[in-house]
C-alpha cells in the first residue's frame, strides 16, 4: 500500500473532456480548487473521449500516461476533474500506486478545512461519510481476503463489516443532530416571523465576491479572500438603510460546477435561509467569460432546494475589471433587475442600497405619534432613524410627530417607550391635519426635501 499524507501533496491534475474540447476556464477552476485544498499542482494532463471508460474513466492509455507522468514528476496525489465510481478510483490507485481523488472528494476536503461553526462541521462530516461509505473497501485491500466458509473468513471481511457498522451508526447520529439543529432553526425563524424583518440573501458562484459585497454593505468584517470557498458558514447581519425598513442580510455558501449531491443534501437546512428570504442578490463575476454558464448553474442549485421562486436582483460585481461604469438596469415593469458595481472599490454600492430601499419602501408606514414631555428620548431616536417627516408642538409641552418607518421599528419603539401606537397604515399623503392614508397601489409621494423612492 501507499502512504496518504493529508496536506502539501504534489498533485497531478487530470481532465478528460467527453465529446467536446477542454475549456481553459475549467482548467483554471480545477487548478484553483486544488490550490484551495492545499495541494501543489505540478502539471495538468488533458484528453478527450466519446464516453467514459468503465474501468478507469479516462481510458487505459491515458491512465498509463498519468502513471508515467506521476512517476516522472514525483507526484504524490492524482486529482481527477470528474466524479468517479468507487471501482474506477480503486483501479487508478492500483495502477498508479498513488492516492487518487475525484472532483467530489476534493470539494469535500475543502469544505472540511473551511467549516467553522458546529452545524457546518456536522454537515461536512455527514457528507464525507456518505461519500466514503461507497469507497470503504479501498482502505482494507491490504488485509487478508479469503473465500467464505466456517473457519475461512479472513480478518479483512470482519474488519470491513465492523467499520461499515460504525460508519452507519455515525451517519445516523449526525443525521439526528442535524435534524435537531434544523428544528431549532425553524423555531428561530418562526419567532422572527412574529416581528417580521425582511430577509435578503447573497447567492452566487464561488469567488464571485459575495463576502466582499457583504462587508461593503454591512461593515461586518467577514473573512473574504480571492479563493474558492473562502467562507462556508453563513453570516447574518442587520442592514440599516435610511427610509427603508431594517433588513437582515445573509451571506450564503458559494456554488460551483458539479457540486457533490452529498453537500447539497447536507447543507439543505443552511440553504433554506436562501429559500426563506424575500429577495436574492445574485452576485455574478462580471469579468468571468463563463458568467452565463455560472448563472445557470447557480439557478439549478436554487431550484433543487425550492428557492427558484424568490425575486432576484442580479449584481454584476467586479465591473472595474471590464472598465465599465457602475449602473442600474430595470425590467419592463420599471423595477431594478441588475446593478453593476465593484464591491472591492465600493463604486456602485450606493446604487445597490438605493435599489434595496426602493424594493422594500412599500413596507414603510406613515403615521402620527403623540409624544408627551417625558418622551424626549423617543423623539431623539426617531430623528436618529431619520423617520421624522414633520413635527408640531403639543399643548402639554410634548410633540405631534409625523413619522415614516418600518412597522417593525414602530412596534419596538412604542413598546419600549410606552407610547400609544396608532394603527399601522399604508404609505400616506400629507393633508391639512393628520396624514391621510391611501391605497398602496397609488404612486408613492416624494419625501420632504426632494428625496424619492426611485434611483437617480
Amino acid at each position: 500500500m501507499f502512504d496518504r499524507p493529508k496536506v502539501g501533496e504534489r498533485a497531478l491534475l487530470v481532465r478528460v473532456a467527453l465529446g467536446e474540447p477542454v475549456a481553459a476556464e475549467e482548467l483554471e477552476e480545477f487548478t484553483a480548487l486544488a490550490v484551495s485544498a492545499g495541494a501543489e499542482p505540478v502539471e495538468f494532463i488533458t484528453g478527450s473521449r466519446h464516453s467514459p471508460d468503465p474501468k478507469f474513466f479516462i481510458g487505459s492509455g491515458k491512465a498509463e500516461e498519468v502513471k508515467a507522468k506521476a512517476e516522472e514528476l514525483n507526484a504524490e496525489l492524482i486529482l481527477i476533474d470528474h466524479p468517479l465510481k468507487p471501482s474506477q478510483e480503486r483501479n487508478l490507485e492500483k495502477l498508479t500506486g498513488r492516492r487518487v481523488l475525484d472532483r467530489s472528494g476534493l470539494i469535500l476536503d475543502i469544505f472540511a478545512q473551511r467549516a467553522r461553526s458546529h452545524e457546518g462541521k456536522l454537515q461536512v462530516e455527514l457528507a464525507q461519510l456518505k461519500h466514503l461509505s461507497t469507497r470503504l473497501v479501498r482502505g482494507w485491500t491490504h488485509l487478508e481476503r479469503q473465500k467464505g466458509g466456517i473457519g475461512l473468513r479472513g480478518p479483512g471481511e470482519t474488519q470491513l463489516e465492523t467499520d461499515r457498522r460504525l460508519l452507519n451508526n455515525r451517519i445516523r447520529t449526525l443525521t439526528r443532530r442535524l435534524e435537531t439543529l434544523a428544528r431549532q432553526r425553524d423555531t428561530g425563524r418562526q419567532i422572527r416571523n412574529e416581528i417580521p424583518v425582511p430577509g435578503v440573501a447573497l447567492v452566487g458562484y464561488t469567488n464571485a465576491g459575495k463576502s466582499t459585497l457583504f462587508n461593503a454593505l454591512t461593515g461586518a468584517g467577514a473573512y473574504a479572500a480571492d479563493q474558492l470557498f473562502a467562507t462556508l458558514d453563513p453570516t447574518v447581519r442587520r442592514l440599516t438603510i435610511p427610509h427603508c425598513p431594517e433588513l437582515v442580510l445573509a451571506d450564503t455558501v458559494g456554488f460551483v460546477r458539479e457540486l457533490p449531491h452529498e453537500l447539497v443534501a447536507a447543507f439543505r437546512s443552511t440553504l433554506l435561509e436562501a429559500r426563506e428570504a424575500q429577495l436574492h442578490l445574485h452576485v455574478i463575476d462580471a469579468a468571468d467569460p463563463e458568467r452565463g454558464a455560472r448563472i445557470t448553474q447557480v439557478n439549478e442549485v436554487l431550484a433543487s432546494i425550492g428557492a427558484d421562486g424568490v425575486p432576484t436582483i442580479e449584481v454584476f460585481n467586479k465591473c472595474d475589471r471590464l472598465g465599465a461604469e457602475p449602473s442600474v438596469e430595470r425590467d419592463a415593469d420599471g423595477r431594478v433587475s441588475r446593478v453593476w458595481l465593484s464591491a472591492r472599490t465600493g463604486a456602485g454600492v450606493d446604487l445597490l442600497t438605493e435599489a434595496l430601499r426602493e424594493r422594500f419602501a412599500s413596507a414603510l408606514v406613515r403615521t402620527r405619534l403623540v409624544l408627551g414631555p417625558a418622551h424626549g428620548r423617543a423623539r431623539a431616536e426617531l430623528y436618529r432613524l431619520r423617520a421624522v417627516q414633520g413635527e408640531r408642538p403639543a399643548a402639554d409641552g410634548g410633540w405631534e410627530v409625523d413619522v415614516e418607518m418600518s412597522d417593525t421599528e414602530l412596534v419596538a419603539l412604542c413598546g419600549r417607550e410606552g407610547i400609544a401606537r396608532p394603527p399601522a397604515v399604508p404609505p400616506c399623503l400629507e393633508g391639512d391635519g393628520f396624514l391621510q392614508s391611501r391605497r398602496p397601489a397609488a404612486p408613492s409621494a416624494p419625501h420632504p426635501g426632494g428625496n424619492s423612492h426611485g434611483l437617480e
Side-chain angles (χ1 to χ4, degrees), residues 57-180:
F57 187 92
I58 61 176
S60 57
K62 186 62 67 175
E64 291 290 345
E65 178 185 347
V66 168
K67 176 184 177 182
K69 186 63 68 172
E71 292 174 351
E72 175 188 344
L73 300 176
N74 195 27
E76 303 163 293
L77 175 66
I78 298 173
L79 300 176
I80 311 294
D81 190 16
H82 305 276
L84 298 179
K85 295 179 180 178
S87 60
Q88 294 169 336
E89 195 170 301
R90 289 195 297 270
N91 290 336
L92 284 170
E93 285 189 339
K94 184 176 180 180
L95 174 69
T96 62
R98 286 162 172 78
R99 187 185 179 200
V100 175
L101 201 62
D102 68 352
R103 180 182 179 87
S104 298
L106 178 61
I107 294 176
L108 285 169
D109 186 80
I110 296 173
F111 272 56
Q113 294 180 41
R114 304 284 166 77
R116 293 293 179 267
S117 70
H118 175 62
E119 183 177 10
K121 291 178 181 179
L122 292 181
Q123 289 167 331
V124 172
E125 184 182 355
L126 178 61
Q128 285 183 307
L129 291 178
K130 288 183 175 180
H131 182 74
L132 179 63
S133 63
T134 60
R135 291 161 164 76
L136 192 60
V137 66
R138 73 179 184 183
W140 303 101
T141 52
H142 62 293
L143 296 178
E144 180 184 357
R145 301 289 302 199
Q146 300 179 13
K147 66 180 181 178
I150 297 175
L152 296 178
R153 293 183 177 86
E157 182 179 11
T158 302
Q159 180 63 64
L160 187 59
E161 289 177 347
T162 301
D163 208 54
R164 279 179 175 157
R165 182 167 58 254
L166 293 174
L167 185 144
N168 289 331
N169 289 340
R170 181 61 178 168
I171 287 177
R172 285 193 292 269
T173 299
L174 291 174
T175 301
R176 285 195 298 268
R177 290 183 181 178
L178 287 172
E179 287 174 350
T180 300

Side-chain angles (χ1 to χ4, degrees), residues 205-424:
Y205 208 78
T206 182
N207 206 32
K210 294 186 301 299
S211 296
T212 303
L213 180 59
F214 182 81
N215 291 335
L217 288 170
T218 65
Y223 178 72
D226 186 16
Q227 59 181 201
L228 304 187
F229 303 116
T231 54
L232 291 183
D233 299 311
T235 307
V236 178
R237 292 290 187 275
R238 289 187 179 272
L239 178 60
T240 302
I241 300 174
H243 306 301
C244 178
E246 193 169 52
L247 306 176
V248 172
L249 184 65
D251 182 15
T252 62
V253 62
F255 304 141
V256 72
R257 173 175 55 89
E258 298 178 10
L259 189 66
H261 65 88
E262 296 97 342
L263 276 176
V264 176
F267 277 78
R268 186 171 298 273
S269 62
T270 302
L271 292 174
L272 287 181
E273 295 295 334
R275 193 180 74 180
E276 297 295 330
Q278 281 70 53
L279 178 69
H280 285 166
L281 296 181
H282 184 170
V283 184
I284 301 160
D285 184 349
D288 188 347
E290 295 293 319
R291 71 188 188 198
R294 305 288 186 250
I295 293 172
T296 300
Q297 290 152 4
V298 170
N299 290 337
E300 288 175 353
V301 176
L302 292 174
S304 70
I305 62 172
D308 50 335
V310 178
T312 301
I313 294 178
E314 293 182 337
V315 180
F316 283 80
N317 188 28
K318 307 180 185 180
C319 70
D320 53 320
R321 295 186 178 181
L322 298 177
E325 292 295 325
S327 62
V328 169
E329 297 179 19
R330 296 179 180 271
D331 58 21
D333 297 325
R335 294 161 65 94
V336 175
S337 59
R338 289 182 176 179
V339 178
W340 293 73
L341 55 77
S342 172
R344 182 181 61 85
T345 65
V349 174
D350 58 329
L351 297 178
L352 180 58
T353 57
E354 188 72 7
L356 291 172
R357 186 181 69 81
E358 179 181 308
R359 179 64 65 103
F360 290 101
S362 60
L364 296 174
V365 296
R366 293 188 75 180
T367 188
R368 176 171 296 176
L369 296 177
V370 179
L371 305 181
H375 292 143
R377 183 173 60 182
R379 177 172 173 265
E381 178 69 9
L382 290 170
Y383 273 98
R384 188 189 68 80
L385 294 172
R386 301 181 184 180
V388 177
Q389 305 298 304
E391 180 184 278
R392 289 162 298 281
D396 62 354
W399 307 270
E400 292 180 356
V401 184
D402 298 330
V403 299
E404 181 181 65
M405 59 195 304
S406 71
D407 188 59
T408 302
E409 292 175 324
L410 183 60
V411 169
L413 178 69
C414 292
R416 186 170 60 248
E417 302 294 341
I419 301 171
R421 175 177 173 265

